[in-house]
Amino acid sequence: MDSNLPDVALSEHLANTIAKLDPHGLPPNVRRTCEDLLVDCVGLCVTVRNADYIKSSVAAFDDDGLCTAIGHAKPMSPAGAAFVNGTAIHGEDFDDIFEGGPVHAGAVIVPAVLAACERYNPGGPSALLGIAVGVETMCRLSLVAPTMTHKAGFHPTAVFGAMAAAAGVGVALKLNPRQLVDALGIVGSMASGIIEYLAEGAWTKRMHAGWAAQSGLRAALLARNGFFGPRTVFEGVHGLYFGFAHTLEGNYEALIGEFGTRWVTETLAFKPYPCGTMTHPYIDCARRLAAMGIKAVDIKEMVCEVGEGTVHRLWEPLAAKQKPQNGYAGKFSTPYCIAAGFARGNVGLGDFSDDAVRDPAVVALAGKVRYQIDPNNSYPRNFTGHIRATLNDGRVVEERQPHMRGGAHEPLPRQDIADKFILNAGHGGWSEARSRDALALLRTLYDGQIDLRTLRA
């Protein structure tokens, strides 16, 4: 036994806190966020239910079970449903974001907890608590060493999502503190997710949320049945942050401090555009420039001030970002997103097809977009946008966006989230009547039983 181990590890602090929480004691804003999160996530499952990557996912998890892959007829195992739903929710990058991380919490936590409750504990209040705890845990984990996980080559949603899913599922299934510690220790060995998908717009980022969801579920079940995990999974010399952020120096108080009394969950951001979140304020700037009557042919160049932490994912290599290889790669190209927003007046699901990103007019404009690093940019605490457009006649026109629409500074109204659900469900082939029935079910799901059968095909 290592004599340097702490008397009380971080996982034990966390487990002792979350095991005492009660769904009826959640603040109203936290419950409201969890309600909106459920609606947003289910709509995203439906919108991509016929996508190639979802068909591949359903076929790969061919085990039987009692759980619902939303939009699909065949019942699946809990792990299969968690994987398919998580992959679907995150698949188009249209899902929620926590700006401080950044991490996509809903795509991991909602599928993991729904699958666990549908199979083992169908009470709606337990699902509500599990989702609230899982989301809060995931967001707080991302604040311990911000940007370090991305810099090390890993996807924070994948890594922190697995840990948080274990916590959320564990609470929903009423694991005791010792079991919760084991679940967190176990899932540390299941966390994964490299960001090499950026090279060619491959599908692997899409599955990161699904893999994390099913990993957290499996870890919680292992712990419930007596499997033992390391309690120093977070701060240990071979722990999570050493492995995935290459550091043991972190603000661990951001994880455990005031957990259960101060909730960052209520600051979760809901997306108005289906693409990388940090591109959103730049799209808003581009749309305003176009609304001034400026034409693409009038533009000599567009220079954007950016946070250094966004460059390696959204701006470089610049030539490749100005001409993305396929539709999915376009989601992580700020030059393309700016050009699409300017040329088309908006950015929606249809703007990320392979044909859309090859539109000659949009490609030509994207080629005029470049960046310069602003050392005072507040990323990742806040997502800002800026475009300085120099026109052929020498005029300079500038637009700034101080924050992301849909985030803590300018939340999307609840009606906008409902409208987004109806549009997404319609995109997936559901009638408006069916979509509105589903919306009514989701708004009351936490008060009854977790019965998702009407959400199948």
Side-chain angles (χ1 to χ4, degrees):
M1 186 72 70
D2 187 343
S3 60
N4 294 319
L5 292 178
D7 292 335
V8 181
L10 287 169
S11 67
E12 292 172 313
H13 279 289
L14 182 61
N16 289 333
T17 298
I18 63 178
K20 297 174 184 176
L21 295 176
D22 186 301
H24 303 292
L26 292 175
N29 283 347
V30 174
R31 176 177 173 126
R32 182 184 179 92
T33 299
C34 292
E35 291 172 351
D36 289 342
L37 196 60
L38 184 64
V39 168
D40 201 46
C41 286
V42 170
L44 293 167
C45 285
V46 178
T47 204
V48 298
R49 67 193 184 104
N50 296 315
D52 289 346
Y53 60 90
I54 294 300
K55 291 178 180 178
S56 297
S57 300
V58 172
F61 280 81
D62 60 354
D63 47 347
D64 294 326
L66 302 173
C67 293
T68 299
I70 295 165
H72 303 277
K74 180 180 178 293
M76 303 187 76
S77 69
F83 181 88
V84 170
N85 289 334
T87 301
I89 294 165
H90 190 49
E92 296 303 313
D93 244 78
F94 208 2
D95 50 321
D96 60 277
I97 191 81
F98 176 62
E99 293 174 84
V103 287
H104 300 268
V108 179
I109 306 305
V110 170
V113 172
L114 287 183
C117 289
E118 193 175 18
R119 173 65 180 85
Y120 300 106
N121 179 24
S126 293
L128 170 61
L129 183 62
I131 289 171
V133 166
V135 170
E136 184 73 11
T137 301
M138 189 167 172
C139 295
R140 284 170 169 261
L141 283 168
S142 74
L143 295 175
V144 172
T147 75
M148 296 300 290
T149 306
H150 263 139
K151 287 181 179 178
F154 298 104
H155 187 194
T157 293
V159 174
F160 301 134
M163 309 301 297
V169 170
V171 167
L173 297 185
K174 305 185 187 304
L175 271 60
N176 63 41
R178 176 67 253 179
Q179 292 170 325
L180 288 168
V181 170
D182 285 335
L184 292 167
I186 293 163
V187 81
S189 288
M190 299 177 178
S192 61
I194 60 174
I195 59 176
E196 185 59 16
Y197 65 87
L198 288 166
E200 297 178 313
W203 287 357
T204 47
K205 181 178 186 285
R206 287 173 154 143
M207 60 159 268
H208 286 173
W211 188 258
Q214 65 89 36
S215 296
L217 173 61
R218 289 185 186 278
L221 294 175
L222 282 166
R224 190 173 71 162
N225 288 283
F227 206 95
F228 182 55
R231 65 190 183 93
T232 51
V233 64
F234 295 122
E235 73 272 39
V237 295
H238 303 294
L240 188 81
Y241 289 98
F242 175 79
F244 291 104
H246 298 173
T247 183
L248 292 176
E249 302 299 322
N251 178 18
Y252 294 110
E253 185 66 16
L255 171 60
I256 60 174
E258 298 181 282
F259 198 119
T261 58
R262 178 180 61 84
W263 293 80
V264 300
T265 292
E266 62 188 60
T267 68
L268 217 60
F270 292 88
K271 286 189 175 184
Y273 305 123
C275 51
T277 318
M278 285 74 78
T279 68
H280 286 211
Y282 295 90
I283 295 171
D284 284 341
C285 289
R287 293 178 65 192
R288 289 199 298 271
L289 286 173
M292 295 176 186
I294 298 170
K295 305 300 182 185
V297 294
D298 298 329
I299 296 173
K300 181 179 180 181
E301 69 170 1
M302 290 180 171
V303 180
C304 304
E305 294 176 358
V306 305
E308 186 275 335
T310 69
V311 170
H312 73 292
R313 300 192 313 281
L314 299 174
W315 286 97
E316 287 291 351
L318 183 58
K321 295 299 186 181
Q322 290 170 332
K323 194 174 182 179
Q325 293 191 25
N326 56 39
Y328 191 59
K331 290 177 178 285
F332 312 105
S333 161
T334 310
Y336 171 75
C337 290
I338 286 173
F342 184 96
R344 297 171 183 149
N346 201 355
V347 173
L349 289 167
D351 293 296
F352 297 101
S353 67
D354 290 352
D355 288 340
V357 300
R358 294 175 185 139
D359 179 344
V362 175
V363 171
L365 182 56
K368 300 177 182 180
V369 180
R370 61 183 180 87
Y371 71 92
Q372 62 184 36
I373 293 174
D374 173 12
N376 298 315
N377 190 278
S378 57
Y379 175 85
R381 297 188 310 277
N382 184 37
F383 298 165
T384 62
H386 165 264
I387 299 175
R388 184 173 64 252
T390 301
L391 307 185
N392 292 324
D393 63 9
R395 286 184 296 147
V396 176
V397 186
E398 200 163 10
E399 276 291 333
R400 290 189 181 273
Q401 179 83 357
H403 52 252
M404 172 192 169
R405 283 192 307 114
H409 298 285
E410 190 179 346
L412 286 186
R414 174 165 273 198
Q415 186 59 50
D416 285 9
I417 294 171
D419 291 344
K420 178 182 172 183
F421 174 87
I422 299 296
L423 287 171
N424 279 334
H427 186 267
W430 281 12
S431 68
E432 184 168 344
R434 182 176 186 185
S435 299
R436 294 199 179 281
D437 286 346
L439 183 60
L441 167 70
L442 296 171
R443 287 298 190 203
T444 59
L445 195 70
Y446 293 140
D447 296 316
Q449 295 292 98
I450 302 299
D451 184 349
L452 306 177
R453 288 174 294 179
T454 61
L455 301 180
R456 296 176 187 173

